[in-house]
Amino acid sequence: MARNVNNIANVNSEEDVRECNSSSVFNPTDEQITTIIHSLNTLNQVEILNIIGSFNISIDRDTVKKKMELIQYLIYGFKKGMFNESLFNELRSQAFNPDIDSTDGFFFSFEADTPNITEEGLESFLNDWNEVNDDKAIEFLEFNDQSATFLVTKHTDKFIFDQESMFSIKYNDEKRAKVVVHFDKSIVYVQTTNTVIYNAIKTIIKVFLQDLLDIEKLFITPPKMSKNLSLTFNDDYTAATEENSVHPNTIKLLDILLELDAPSSSFSGFECVNITLDHEDTINRRDAKSKIVSQNYGGGDLLKNKVVKDLILSNRIIYDIEFIIEYNHVDNEGHISKQLVTVGMINDRKSSLRIFIKNSDYNIRQVIKNAYSELTSVFISNYGQSQLRNEDNIKKLLGLS
């Protein structure tokens, strides 16, 4: 074991690593070392390499091939004071709170007439609400116009049996997520990658909104994605020029996607690479879906493919869509850089609309976070509009004009 650790430690000398981590020397306690070991064992090898890469720590992959060798090296480095506390915090955060800072999240709507909400009134209500709810907590983070940001936590007591002491041990299992409630649009965003966490937090927000708005029973639904095209009729107004129909849910989703390519957006160059629609005989096969992959149709933008267009024109609903789009990022010095991001949307008409970015390169994490923030902002802005913003472009896309 000692020989392996020494070999791994030679990958970067202690002085080299300290140069890359010029902050004050960090000498972790025994408790912190235990947490580091737990974090490293929780993360997979790719995740660990991405994290340390973001701290300019290079690893000779010819020398370090296995995850255990990588863990041994990092533990050795921490014990020798080679790494700063920021790396410890990042490993711990990504291992145990990955959803707090994720580029993934779920939207749902609530049906209620919302009065004008003030920051002072919200804070006062939350203080009282938290005092009488022991198993859940909502921390107020920010208020902007009629949207409020919270950190929501659900506490659950769980038990394990210790064979050594022959007693049960109780521990607190926490589920946490950042939540944004848009009171003016009656829509809620839950930032998490985990559907179990989403459902737990959604339940808490429902109770919170019922109490805040003094409603006995609040109905929550997926975002209402229904808009209709103004089709052109013949002279006698007996039939539309285009006889095929397009599902209103699909129309609204296309409107949002085309808005990303608008001049006012920081995005451009939209290209759909995967798409899933409801199956042609969904009525007889409940929840059946039909996936269309780019390889089947020669690649390129699937929304420009005649086969896909014909399916959309036959009243099929888009459930999942994945696309590549260029994000134009402006850095602190005003320079514009372009970054391709892969975006996914899952249009679950039973529970939520999920929007996420698949890129996971830690070296450009801040750029990806900025792109995701703008992506969700475009959705929120577009979702609240009573009229389609891109009706002409939708018609052109589908060959209706």
Side-chain angles (χ1 to χ4, degrees):
M1 182 71 71
R3 179 180 60 82
N4 289 340
V5 171
N6 288 332
N7 287 340
I8 295 166
N10 288 331
V11 174
N12 280 333
S13 69
E14 295 177 23
E15 291 77 10
D16 289 340
V17 176
R18 285 198 182 101
E19 283 183 12
C20 293
N21 300 276
S22 57
S23 302
S24 58
V25 176
F26 172 55
N27 295 308
T29 63
D30 290 343
E31 189 178 51
Q32 288 172 324
I33 287 293
T34 300
T35 303
I36 291 167
I37 295 171
H38 190 185
S39 301
L40 292 171
N41 280 288
T42 300
L43 297 164
N44 63 45
Q45 187 169 357
V46 173
E47 290 170 330
I48 296 171
L49 289 170
N50 283 336
I51 292 171
I52 65 176
S54 68
F55 284 82
N56 297 319
I57 300 170
S58 59
I59 297 293
D60 185 348
R61 297 301 301 277
D62 292 330
T63 305
V64 182
K65 296 181 179 179
K66 298 180 180 179
K67 179 183 176 182
M68 185 52 62
E69 295 172 338
L70 180 60
I71 291 175
Q72 288 175 333
Y73 166 60
L74 291 172
I75 294 170
Y76 173 89
F78 273 113
K79 288 181 176 179
K80 289 291 185 179
M82 294 163 57
F83 307 129
N84 62 31
E85 191 170 3
S86 296
L87 178 58
F88 162 69
N89 289 331
E90 185 68 13
L91 289 168
R92 180 175 59 178
S93 174
Q94 292 300 319
F96 304 115
N97 290 303
D99 298 307
I100 302 302
D101 193 31
S102 65
T103 51
D104 194 343
F106 301 76
F107 288 91
F108 69 88
S109 302
F110 59 93
E111 297 180 8
D113 293 328
T114 308
N116 188 58
I117 304 294
T118 65
E119 183 173 353
E120 295 76 15
L122 193 57
E123 282 188 292
S124 175
F125 177 84
L126 262 180
N127 288 335
D128 295 336
W129 193 85
N130 282 321
E131 285 185 6
V132 297
N133 287 279
D134 296 332
D135 62 338
K136 56 184 78 76
I138 300 180
E139 179 185 348
F140 180 74
L141 300 179
E142 184 182 6
F143 189 82
N144 182 18
D145 198 7
Q146 283 296 292
S147 67
T149 304
F150 308 101
L151 181 61
V152 182
T153 306
K154 178 178 175 57
H155 301 281
T156 306
D157 287 337
K158 291 194 173 181
F159 300 86
I160 56 173
F161 184 76
D162 182 15
Q163 293 285 353
E164 189 172 327
S165 67
M166 297 300 289
F167 288 104
S168 295
I169 300 172
K170 183 173 76 171
Y171 68 97
N172 177 36
D173 176 56
E174 286 189 351
K175 291 182 173 62
R176 305 170 70 202
K178 190 181 293 183
V179 175
V180 183
V181 180
H182 298 268
F183 291 102
D184 54 339
K185 296 180 174 64
S186 298
I187 190 167
V188 178
Y189 167 70
V190 181
Q191 181 172 293
T192 179
T193 63
N194 189 300
T195 54
V196 174
I197 293 176
Y198 164 66
N199 286 315
I201 299 303
K202 180 175 67 172
T203 302
I204 293 175
I205 292 299
K206 179 181 179 181
V207 174
F208 164 70
L209 289 173
Q210 284 180 169
D211 295 342
L212 176 67
L213 304 176
D214 194 21
I215 297 174
E216 185 175 347
K217 188 172 184 179
L218 183 73
F219 292 97
I220 57 176
T221 63
K224 293 180 179 178
M225 302 276 289
S226 296
K227 288 291 183 290
N228 291 303
L229 284 171
S230 301
L231 296 177
T232 303
F233 286 85
N234 60 17
D235 293 339
D236 297 329
Y237 290 93
T238 56
T241 304
E242 173 57 59
E243 294 180 359
N244 292 324
S245 60
V246 184
H247 197 281
N249 190 283
T250 295
I251 290 170
K252 185 58 182 175
L253 187 60
L254 291 175
D255 192 43
I256 292 170
L257 297 179
L258 289 170
E259 187 67 15
L260 292 172
D261 212 11
S264 58
S265 169
S266 297
F267 298 96
S268 60
F270 177 96
E271 181 181 344
C272 174
V273 292
N274 271 309
I275 189 169
T276 302
L277 301 99
D278 63 329
H279 199 276
E280 59 187 343
D281 56 354
T282 299
I283 294 175
N284 299 319
R285 295 174 56 192
R286 189 175 182 180
D287 297 331
K289 297 177 183 179
S290 178
K291 184 175 183 180
I292 301 169
V293 293
S294 56
Q295 290 86 345
N296 291 349
Y297 297 99
D301 188 351
L302 286 177
L303 291 178
K304 294 180 180 178
N305 186 284
K306 185 179 185 304
V307 174
V308 177
K309 286 183 183 182
D310 289 344
L311 289 171
I312 292 174
L313 287 168
S314 61
N315 206 34
R316 302 279 284 276
I317 303 169
I318 297 175
Y319 276 100
D320 300 355
I321 189 166
E322 183 179 312
F323 55 92
I324 297 172
I325 195 165
E326 196 171 68
Y327 174 61
N328 302 299
H329 172 66
V330 182
D331 63 23
N332 294 330
E333 298 178 355
H335 300 133
I336 298 177
S337 59
K338 297 180 181 295
Q339 176 64 49
L340 288 177
V341 293
T342 303
V343 178
M345 291 186 180
I346 300 177
N347 181 25
D348 185 340
R349 299 175 67 230
K350 291 185 178 180
S351 66
S352 63
L353 175 79
R354 183 177 184 178
I355 301 176
F356 56 94
I357 289 182
K358 297 182 71 173
N359 301 60
S360 58
D361 188 344
Y362 280 82
N363 295 318
I364 56 169
R365 187 175 61 168
Q366 191 55 50
V367 174
I368 299 301
K369 285 172 61 179
N370 292 342
Y372 186 70
S373 177
E374 292 197 39
L375 183 69
T376 53
S377 293
V378 169
F379 169 72
I380 287 293
S381 175
N382 185 274
Y383 171 80
Q385 293 291 317
S386 58
Q387 301 295 322
L388 293 169
R389 290 186 177 182
N390 301 281
E391 181 169 327
D392 290 340
N393 287 332
I394 294 173
K395 290 179 180 179
K396 187 180 298 183
L397 174 70
L398 298 175
L400 298 177
S401 64

